[in-house]
Amino acid sequence: MKKNFVFIVITFFCCLDSTAQETSVQSAATFITKIPFIQLNGGIILVRSTIDDSKDTLNFILDTGSGGISLDSSTVEELQLTKENSDKTIKGIAGIKKVPYTNNHSLNFTGLKVDSLNFHINNYDLLTSVYGVKIDGIIGYSFLSRYIVAINYDRQELEIFLPGLFRYPKGGYMMKPFFNSLVLSVFQVADAKSIMSRFIFDTGAGLCFLFNEDFLDDSSLLKKKKKKFITQAEGFGGKKEMELTVIKSVSVGPYKFRKVPVFIFKDAYNITSYPQSCGLIGNDLLKRFNAILNYPEQTFYLKPNNKFSENFDFSYTGLGVYLIDNVIQVVDIIKDSPGDKAGFKNGDILIGIDNDFSNNIQSYKTALQNAGKRLKVFIIRNHKPMSLKLKVQNILRG
């Protein structure tokens, strides 16, 4: 082993019965506005909004894997929002804790004001350092449940509709997930065997698939002696060591993806609610579809987009790279990984990769996803510049 109604009443008359029968017809969904977004590594959707009467524009991740809506603790302090303690807890991959709230606020987009939102407060410093852009909060169920939200990755925009009869485009797949504050959908996964099971539909996860380790133990899904790589993921509560491997296929309705990279983790806080669900499907796979999220009707509609045939990320370096105090640092190095063998040390400051000296963490992470490529990485260590040669491992080839 290597280491997210108005009704019209119509009356019918029957010639054999003078009793009028009344039935209700739902009105058409009403378009409200378009909201542009940008994509971060892993397909993560970032939208911008203001809150209440503040003129400061904030960055929010659109996350079907969030059961509410939240604000970063430093953002709450900067905007001087009132905090209230609560007994409510939230769970993440690496922890569980009680969270305070700031209540009765509004989010303001162009053409849309969303009122009466209660935000739980969390510290998103880690997410900010991962993506290299200030993460002010996460938009989840509290927003999504009010509207029909169409995600168009080709145009990088959201279309927001008031609930009603919606005309779906041709050529897609209608899903009927299980809805609570989270959305659970059935997908077929295959390796040593083929299994149909429920997974959380999570646009806030920058990966393809994540399996609960207990599910794999109980199902024997993976082939024996499956090669796995030790890696790390970040989320609420901090960092979590996981395993990375590739499975034979994943089917999303009629669409099949072959050789899909998956993460495996020991779910100590049962965030996947196993056995109700067995893990989650993330946005590195979901970004291959334009999606219509119709929470009011409890349906999701997926249609392949221009990213449908895009290659998956099979890269492995074993490096944890973060933006800290405006410099990009190597913070975590998995033992015996390509990064370790290349000679990286904790605290190395990354200043360039090949001909890229942009000091853009998104750009550098994209470069590090070139599976099989040999990279020349420029760093500063102990105030001295130096270069290292890194061979990005391809996990398909071991």
Side-chain angles (χ1 to χ4, degrees):
M1 180 186 298
K2 292 188 181 181
K3 299 237 206 193
N4 174 237
F5 298 91
V6 178
F7 292 87
I8 300 173
V9 177
I10 300 177
T11 303
F12 293 87
F13 296 93
C14 177
C15 61
L16 298 178
D17 191 344
S18 62
T19 303
Q21 297 182 1
E22 294 185 349
T23 187
S24 298
V25 177
Q26 191 177 8
S27 62
T30 304
F31 172 75
I32 304 173
T33 191
K34 294 181 181 180
I35 302 171
F37 66 80
I38 64 172
Q39 279 190 267
L40 305 175
N41 286 112
I44 299 299
I45 296 171
L46 194 73
V47 297
R48 309 193 76 191
S49 172
T50 61
I51 186 169
D52 299 336
D53 297 324
S54 173
K55 295 182 180 180
D56 294 334
T57 303
L58 308 179
N59 297 316
F60 290 89
I61 292 174
L62 187 73
D63 186 4
T64 57
S66 170
I69 192 166
S70 61
L71 279 171
D72 175 60
S73 52
S74 66
T75 302
V76 171
E77 295 296 332
E78 290 168 8
L79 297 179
Q80 298 182 353
L81 303 180
T82 302
K83 293 191 295 185
E84 298 180 16
N85 292 327
S86 78
D87 292 326
K88 294 183 179 180
T89 59
I90 56 174
K91 296 189 293 184
I93 63 170
I96 181 171
K97 69 174 183 178
K98 289 184 180 181
V99 290
Y101 274 73
T102 181
N103 297 320
N104 198 28
H105 298 287
S106 63
L107 281 180
N108 308 296
F109 303 93
T110 300
L112 175 64
K113 181 176 181 178
V114 189
D115 289 315
S116 306
L117 292 170
N118 298 329
F119 294 83
H120 73 257
I121 302 169
N122 194 19
N123 186 321
Y124 291 131
D125 284 348
L126 180 59
L127 290 183
T128 293
S129 67
V130 167
Y131 295 116
V133 59
K134 178 72 164 69
I135 304 300
D136 293 291
I138 292 175
I139 294 176
Y141 181 82
S142 299
F143 170 84
L144 294 166
S145 60
R146 302 185 186 192
Y147 305 101
I148 300 172
V149 179
I151 306 173
N152 191 308
Y153 291 96
D154 295 327
R155 298 197 301 264
Q156 292 200 10
E157 67 181 15
L158 307 177
E159 292 183 302
I160 312 297
F161 300 80
L162 286 176
L165 290 175
F166 192 88
R167 185 172 182 176
Y168 295 91
K170 294 181 180 179
Y173 168 60
M174 180 72 76
M175 303 173 65
K176 297 290 291 184
F178 171 79
F179 278 74
N180 198 334
S181 57
L182 299 180
V183 181
L184 275 61
S185 302
V186 175
F187 301 97
Q188 184 175 8
V189 293
D191 201 60
K193 61 173 68 173
S194 181
I195 296 174
M196 297 284 288
S197 194
R198 289 185 296 191
F199 296 86
I200 297 169
F201 193 104
D202 191 355
T203 61
L207 45 75
C208 288
F209 244 88
L210 183 147
F211 289 135
N212 183 309
E213 187 180 74
D214 292 335
F215 160 66
L216 294 180
D217 290 342
D218 292 344
S219 67
S220 300
L221 170 71
L222 296 183
K223 295 176 182 177
K224 292 182 179 179
K225 298 182 180 179
K226 191 76 170 181
K227 194 162 192 174
K228 303 179 185 125
F229 301 82
I230 300 299
T231 187
Q232 182 176 268
E234 302 89 3
F236 168 72
K239 304 170 185 178
K240 177 77 173 180
E241 185 177 281
M242 297 189 183
E243 294 176 321
L244 174 65
T245 190
V246 178
I247 64 170
K248 181 179 178 182
S249 67
V250 171
S251 295
V252 180
Y255 310 110
K256 178 176 280 190
F257 300 93
R258 302 184 186 279
K259 296 181 180 179
V260 180
V262 299
F263 287 81
I264 303 164
F265 85 125
K266 191 172 185 64
D267 193 355
Y269 301 96
N270 199 25
I271 66 166
T272 60
S273 300
Y274 181 75
Q276 184 179 16
S277 72
C278 300
L280 60 86
I281 181 172
N283 228 34
D284 209 18
L285 192 149
L286 295 172
K287 71 180 182 183
R288 299 159 200 275
F289 300 92
N290 289 338
I292 298 169
L293 313 181
N294 193 336
Y295 277 69
E297 289 293 323
Q298 299 194 349
T299 58
F300 280 6
Y301 186 82
L302 304 180
K303 184 177 179 179
N305 60 28
N306 292 334
K307 298 179 184 290
F308 185 78
S309 299
E310 202 175 78
N311 291 332
F312 290 115
D313 176 15
F314 298 112
S315 65
Y316 178 65
T317 65
L319 298 176
V321 179
Y322 304 89
L323 182 67
I324 302 173
D325 296 329
N326 293 317
V327 296
I328 301 170
Q329 296 186 34
V330 176
V331 176
D332 303 298
I333 304 127
I334 301 297
K335 185 179 179 181
D336 296 325
S337 68
D340 186 30
K341 293 175 181 177
F344 283 92
K345 303 295 182 184
N346 191 305
D348 285 347
I349 298 173
L350 201 162
I351 59 173
I353 299 179
D354 288 342
N355 295 321
D356 181 0
F357 292 88
S358 62
N359 198 38
N360 184 308
I361 192 171
Q362 295 286 312
S363 178
Y364 290 168
K365 286 190 174 185
T366 298
L368 293 171
Q369 291 171 345
N370 282 293
K373 188 172 182 179
R374 296 183 183 274
L375 303 173
K376 190 172 185 179
V377 183
F378 299 90
I379 64 169
I380 293 177
R381 179 185 298 166
N382 298 326
H383 306 289
K384 296 179 180 180
M386 61 185 296
S387 65
L388 299 172
K389 293 181 179 179
L390 172 67
K391 172 69 179 294
V392 182
Q393 188 163 357
N394 187 330
I395 61 173
L396 280 177
R397 299 170 186 167

